[in-house]
Amino acid sequence: MRIARRTLIVLAAALLVVGALLGLRQMGMLADLANRGPGFESGRERFEERETRPDPGFFAPESSEFRERGRHGEHGASLSGLVEVGKNLAIIGVIVALGVLATRLYGALTRRQKATGVGMGPPA
Amino acid sequence: MARTAGAQRRTTVNLALDSAIFIGFLVATAPRFTGIAIHEWLSIAFGAAVIAHLLLHWQWIIEVARRFFGKVTWMSRVNYALNSLLFISMTIIIFTGLMISEAALPLFGIQMPNDRMWSQLHHQSSNVTVLLLGLHVALHWRWIVNATRRVLAFPARRRVTPAPAVLPASREVR
């Protein structure tokens, strides 16, 4: 019962986010997102980019290749997709390394400040 | 002893679920690797796993939420804000993913209209989530390392601990 209530609370929070998203869309505030350039998920976004070209050629949304590859970019599985996994893992790894380094530096700095404060002590 | 075993079990469950969520996220963000059907179903399962993760950490969520503007460490505040952003971005990923679904929803006879905006938002929120997840892991790195050590060491230690009568009391098993 308690778990069900908590799950409903989480789902309600998610619904709030979705509601806000739909509200922003209704107000047209998400429209500019469609014109932004690609991020680091280049594979899928390159496909999206080609789709938006003024002269899309065979990548026109109604073309057979679009229908074949779909809105996500690819339908079938491919080992070359492992590159995406590796890329995201590398990005997360760099962020973690930087974060851990920053935390350790901050900790060392705080310890040194405390040690300096204790070492000085009150005047005799 | 029972308390230690309980804490150990909780740590193991947390670590197993968190590892599964992390690996699931990495795989789910590579639809070219899995194919679109697995990508969609994995992402839906991922949503359920995130709910389980939140339920397991419910006490922390409630405690920090209550004391957010009161007596709470600066780090907990940063953590809470980051986790809230992560929840929002993951909700956006899953919702926009459903809006551009090509395998999961059509299976139930639901066809979503082709809207490029949802697709773009899906990609951009997944990019943001990779960054946020990196920060989330960085903030919990110490726990991850300690928990992994504890989980990997605990069963081995239990296995090799002999009965007191077998070995002399002076001999310790490390």
Side-chain angles (χ1 to χ4, degrees):
Chain A
M1 187 62 193
R2 199 173 56 177
I3 290 175
R5 198 181 63 222
R6 289 174 180 179
T7 306
L8 282 177
I9 292 171
V10 174
L11 290 176
L15 267 180
L16 276 179
V17 175
V18 169
L21 199 64
L22 288 173
L24 286 174
R25 190 186 179 230
Q26 286 292 320
M27 289 191 287
M29 291 175 81
L30 296 177
D32 63 320
L33 279 172
N35 301 319
R36 292 247 177 103
F40 45 76
E41 292 220 337
S42 56
R44 285 178 296 172
E45 300 215 343
R46 263 203 305 274
F47 169 70
E48 294 289 339
E49 187 123 295
R50 276 185 283 182
E51 189 196 331
T52 57
R53 282 180 187 168
D55 182 20
F58 62 85
F59 262 105
E62 288 75 27
S63 74
S64 61
E65 184 157 347
F66 181 86
R67 279 196 299 274
E68 201 176 289
R69 297 184 68 187
R71 280 169 263 175
H72 278 89
E74 292 282 353
H75 264 293
S78 158
L79 269 181
S80 64
L82 267 176
V83 175
E84 278 181 48
V85 177
K87 203 164 50 180
N88 285 339
L89 192 60
I91 291 166
I92 291 172
V94 168
I95 294 170
V96 170
L98 289 175
V100 170
L101 193 69
T103 313
R104 285 193 180 164
L105 281 176
Y106 177 75
L109 201 70
T110 315
R111 274 196 300 276
R112 187 180 290 179
Q113 277 177 347
K114 274 184 186 168
T116 314
V118 170
M120 281 167 67
Chain B
M1 185 69 183
R3 195 180 160 199
T4 313
Q8 178 69 20
R9 203 179 318 121
R10 217 175 308 128
T11 305
T12 308
V13 169
N14 278 334
L15 191 66
L17 182 67
D18 294 354
S19 305
I21 288 177
F22 182 73
I23 293 166
F25 178 79
L26 281 181
V27 175
T29 48
R32 281 169 189 274
F33 173 53
T34 57
I36 210 66
I38 293 177
H39 167 75
E40 289 187 12
W41 286 112
L42 186 64
S43 302
I44 290 168
F46 177 80
V50 167
I51 291 176
H53 177 81
L54 293 176
L55 292 177
L56 282 173
H57 296 90
W58 192 260
Q59 287 307 321
W60 182 86
I61 295 169
I62 296 299
E63 282 304 311
V64 180
R66 270 191 196 141
R67 294 185 290 169
F68 191 81
F69 296 107
K71 207 175 178 182
V72 70
T73 61
W74 179 82
M75 202 52 140
S76 293
R77 259 187 222 122
V78 171
N79 218 336
Y80 196 83
L82 179 74
N83 291 345
S84 304
L85 287 175
L86 202 52
F87 176 75
I88 291 170
S89 67
M90 283 189 175
T91 305
I92 292 174
I93 292 181
I94 293 171
F95 174 70
T96 52
L98 288 173
M99 293 304 279
I100 58 172
S101 172
E102 294 167 41
L105 291 190
L107 200 69
F108 300 104
I110 304 168
Q111 289 287 346
M112 303 309 287
N114 185 5
D115 192 334
R116 256 193 94 259
M117 194 210 65
W118 292 129
S119 179
Q120 283 291 94
L121 197 58
H122 186 65
H123 298 153
Q124 287 180 0
S125 55
S126 77
N127 288 345
V128 170
T129 306
V130 169
L131 300 176
L132 291 174
L133 188 69
L135 289 172
H136 184 76
V137 172
L139 281 177
H140 294 86
W141 187 247
R142 192 173 288 177
W143 180 85
I144 293 168
V145 171
N146 289 339
T148 307
R149 273 189 195 144
R150 232 178 302 153
V151 167
L152 293 180
F154 193 77
R157 196 181 296 162
R158 243 192 346 196
R159 210 166 39 241
V160 297
T161 302
V166 176
L167 287 174
S170 59
R171 185 166 172 185
E172 285 181 9
V173 179
R174 288 175 194 276

